[in-house]
Structures are given as structure tokens and as C-alpha cells.
Amino acid sequence: MHTTNTLRRAAIAVLTAATLGLAPTALADTGHQGSSWRAAWAASPQAPTAPFTPNWSQQGFENQTVRQVVRVTTGGTRTRIELTNRYGSTPLRITGATVARTAEGGAVRPGSVRQLRFDGRASVTIPAGGTLLSDAANLPVEAFDSLTVTLYLAEKTGPATFHHFSSATSYRADGDRRGDLTGTAFRETSASWYFLSGVEVTGGRDSARRNGVVTFGDSITDGVGSTVDANGRYPDELAERLAEAGRPRAVVNHGIAGNQVVNDTTWAGEKALTRFRQDVLAEPGVRTVIVLEGINDIGGSTATFPAPPTPDVSAARLIAGHRTLIREAHAKGLKIVGATLTPIKGSFYDSPANEAKREAVNDWIRTSGAYDAVVDFDRAVADPADPDRILPAYDSGDGIHPNDAGYEAMAGAVDLNEL
């Protein structure tokens, strides 16, 4: 979209030029002491699964290089990445990794490639269930820069912890292609992220601010229905809107498509009540969290695809789950914003019983005062002529997931003063 391209061009124009080629000697400072790190990009980890389309999570990798593109929403003078083996059953060996500024497709910008180190070493082993941060890379970035993280996995990884719906293209090549500038060798693609769960920055004009926003939820936070590689998810649109208003803040996305508040699933991650602590409360530099979740608890008990129905969840139990998230956020000193559940009429979740639950939960979100603030995504995307249905101009085609215009409307419904 025009706004995204304008901001990206402006950001690139002020970047600091880097030395050509790999720069491993620039990474001796681990950055773990005395720095104020802030989350700049995130993706919630999931166990290996392939409920819809094939991906690389179940077979994992061996003697392959994976190149992944992400867009940060805040800038800094140094950068580090977070890698996770949260759902691995064996130790994960990262033979080597780089970070660079993205060019086109699987290519990276000459002069921007930085070899990542881990406590000073080029290789690292992440234990099963573990997560770690790289050392600081001297790669200055601005808000809305795209970064390419490249992992060389020489040894067999086994099934891979990943993030299913990335709405972005990842690339794979045989052998060690960490230092490649072009994307020629990266002939295979995937619409998921693998082992990569975060990018953090430090330094720069926002270094003292603890004002990041975490968006937490299911597929509608994850961006299902948005255009691939266009950064059109509602959290992306919200970050751009904040920047345009002269109030720039990091906005990181912790949505998982299909996720539920009170039920674990085999294909859509651990329940929100479990993952909230790792995915939200552990993020650095965050002040506010927006919660949009519950429609899969309601609809999951009647849906038969892509997995058997989950246990029925009453509106009262779902509300109790939301109250738990609120308590945990407040205990951490975070402001928490509740978002109403968007329309389902005409979708695979549509039924009188499900609609009654949705309306009951939305009424509680709007009127209870339990949340510190409310954003009414339901009304933002509803058809005024039929408020239980998403406006056709905002519908991606399945009656439940917004398209790019719908996600932009959602971002536009957020009161920036309430963040």
C-alpha cells in the first residue's frame, strides 16, 4: 500500500552505510550488559504441524540454509535476534547465522551482511525447549526496515519449532549460503517462519522508552487474509498509523491462527492462558497489550476441520479466561486493552449458539470495565446493514478474516490515546 512504501523509503534514506561483505569483527560486544533492549518484531512459536498446506516444520532441516524476511517497527543502533527450540525434542545446532538488510526476494543488500555470534561464538546449540538471544550486531535499523535473517543448519534438526502463518515468504537453499548476496540459490519457498521468534534493538532516539505494544490473539491478529509480503496485518497498519501521527511506537505481533484462550490445540498452539507469559510478559520494552481472542473457543466446538472439535466453552468460562489475562498483565505493570470479537455470520463458525456467545462476550468487553480500555473491532468491520456480518469490502472471502482494507479499518479504530 502507498503508506507502507512511503515510510519504508523514508526509513531507508536515513540508514547508516555499512562496510561491504560480512563483518564478524563488529560483533564482539555481546550487548547483554548495560543496554536497554526493546522488542522490534516477534512471532509466537508453535509445535510442528501442517494442517492446511505443506511446510518444512515436520521434516526439519539438514545441510540447508533458511533465509527469512521480517519488518521491524522500531529502530536502534544495534540489533539482535531471538531463536527458539521451544517445541523441539532434541538439541538444535545453529551452525551459523547472519542478519542483513533485505533486497528483493531472497537477496540481501551488499554491505549490510553481519555474521551473528552467540556469546562470542559463531555456532550455538539450543537445548530442547530453550530460547536464546544472539549477541548484539552493529547493524543500525530504522522503523519499517526489512531485515533478512539467514540460518545455516548443517546437522539434522528434527521437527522444527516454527510460526505457521507468516504472510511472508521464507527461502531455502542446499548447503551453506549464509553469505550469499543474491537469492539465486534459494529455490524453495515457504509461507512460515522457522526457529526465529524475535528481533530486538537498542540505542537510538527511542532507547529510553518503554512504550511498545504487543498485539495478542488468533488469526485476525496473525494477519490471515492479508496480502503476502505486503505487511498488511492490523498490527502493521497500527504501527504505521502511530508513526504517521508523530507518535512512533514498536508494535509486535503475537497472534497464532486458530489459537484459543482456554483450550490447547494440536495445530494452533498452546492456549492463550499458557503462552501469554512467554509470548507477552517476557517481551522487553512493552507498556501495552491488545487482546483479540476467543472466537476459536466459541467456534472450535462445532468445527470439524482441520482437527476434531475442541471442548465446548461457555461465554462465562471465556470471560473468566480474559480476566486471568488481565490480572497477569496488571501484575506485570502492563496496560491491557480488550478488543471485541469480529463478525462470523456467513462463515464456517456461523450458528445461533455461537453468535449468542460472541454477543455475550462482546457485551462484557464493552461494559464490564475489566479492561483498561476497549477497541471495538466488531463495529469497525461490521456491515452497517447487517451488523452480524463483516462488510463485504472488508471480507477476504471466508466471512471471518478481513482483507487488507479490513485490517486497515481495524487499525483505524484504535484510540491512540488509550495505548
Side-chain angles (χ1 to χ4, degrees):
M1 60 180 292
H2 174 73
T3 302
T4 306
N5 292 336
T6 300
L7 286 166
R8 185 181 293 116
R9 285 195 297 268
I12 291 171
V14 297
L15 288 176
T16 302
T19 306
L20 288 174
L22 293 176
T25 58
L27 305 174
D29 178 5
T30 65
H32 294 288
Q33 303 293 329
S35 294
S36 178
W37 289 94
R38 309 180 303 283
W41 172 88
S44 289
Q46 296 175 246
T49 185
F52 294 104
T53 57
N55 60 65
W56 303 327
S57 68
Q58 292 177 314
Q59 69 270 34
F61 307 91
E62 184 177 11
N63 191 29
Q64 292 170 317
T65 302
V66 182
R67 185 162 271 186
Q68 305 175 79
V69 178
V70 302
R71 188 179 74 154
V72 298
T73 54
T74 190
T77 57
R78 293 186 297 169
T79 305
R80 69 184 182 186
I81 68 167
E82 182 183 81
L83 298 175
T84 184
N85 191 26
R86 186 188 294 183
Y87 300 104
S89 58
T90 59
L92 168 67
R93 182 69 173 172
I94 306 292
T95 309
T98 63
V99 62
R101 299 190 184 103
T102 306
E104 295 294 326
V108 296
R109 291 180 177 270
S112 73
V113 181
R114 300 290 186 270
Q115 180 176 314
L116 290 168
R117 293 189 179 275
F118 306 87
D119 288 330
R121 298 184 296 272
S123 299
V124 69
T125 298
I126 308 174
T131 295
L132 61 76
L133 290 160
S134 75
D135 299 344
N138 288 333
L139 182 66
V141 296
E142 295 286 335
F144 310 109
D145 276 355
S146 287
L147 298 180
T148 296
V149 177
T150 304
L151 307 178
Y152 175 47
L153 305 159
E155 301 172 19
K156 190 172 184 178
T157 66
T161 298
F162 84 132
H163 183 86
H164 194 342
F165 287 96
S166 63
S167 297
T169 303
S170 297
Y171 305 86
R172 184 168 70 175
D174 291 332
D176 184 359
R177 296 289 183 172
R178 279 174 290 171
D180 283 19
L181 297 180
T182 73
T184 304
F186 293 87
R187 299 185 179 92
E188 298 177 274
T189 61
S190 171
S192 300
W193 288 306
Y194 303 87
F195 303 123
L196 181 63
S197 56
V199 176
E200 298 177 6
V201 297
T202 190
R205 58 180 175 269
D206 295 328
S207 59
R209 297 183 182 180
R210 180 179 175 266
N211 66 354
V213 178
V214 174
T215 57
F216 183 77
D218 49 41
S219 58
I220 298 178
T221 297
D222 212 0
V224 172
S226 65
T227 301
V228 174
D229 294 326
N231 295 304
R233 316 164 191 85
Y234 106 74
D236 297 296
E237 298 285 356
L238 177 59
E240 291 180 15
R241 184 171 167 235
L242 283 160
E244 288 180 323
R247 303 161 74 172
R249 295 171 69 170
V251 180
V252 297
N253 189 333
H254 274 295
I256 295 180
N259 197 236
Q260 298 190 23
V261 176
V262 303
N263 286 321
D264 291 328
T265 65
T266 58
W267 66 275
E270 293 180 281
K271 59 189 175 186
L273 293 175
T274 298
R275 72 183 187 91
F276 191 75
R277 300 177 189 94
Q278 290 177 285
D279 290 351
V280 176
L281 302 185
E283 285 287 12
V286 169
R287 188 173 77 189
T288 305
V289 54
I290 302 174
V291 175
L292 171 60
E293 186 145 16
I295 203 62
N296 294 310
D297 299 73
I298 293 170
S301 64
T302 59
T304 59
F305 179 82
T310 50
D312 182 70
V313 178
S314 67
R317 187 178 174 211
L318 186 52
I319 288 168
H322 277 258
R323 287 191 182 277
T324 298
L325 298 180
I326 293 167
R327 286 195 300 272
E328 292 190 355
H330 286 165
K332 188 71 172 180
L334 299 181
K335 183 172 187 177
I336 185 165
V337 179
T340 53
L341 306 180
T342 52
I344 58 172
K345 186 175 181 179
S347 76
F348 44 82
Y349 283 167
D350 186 8
S351 76
N354 287 349
E355 179 59 25
K357 290 181 186 180
R358 187 183 77 91
E359 291 178 2
V361 172
N362 279 352
D363 181 66
W364 173 81
I365 292 171
R366 291 185 181 111
T367 64
S368 68
Y371 277 103
D372 298 319
V374 172
V375 54
D376 206 332
F377 286 152
D378 174 33
R379 291 173 179 162
V381 300
D383 185 344
D386 189 359
D388 294 336
R389 185 186 298 272
I390 190 171
L391 185 72
Y394 293 159
D395 187 357
S396 67
D398 61 9
I400 193 168
H401 295 104
N403 56 20
D404 291 349
Y407 286 126
E408 186 173 8
M410 288 173 62
V414 178
D415 184 346
L416 303 186
N417 293 320
E418 295 288 2
L419 297 179

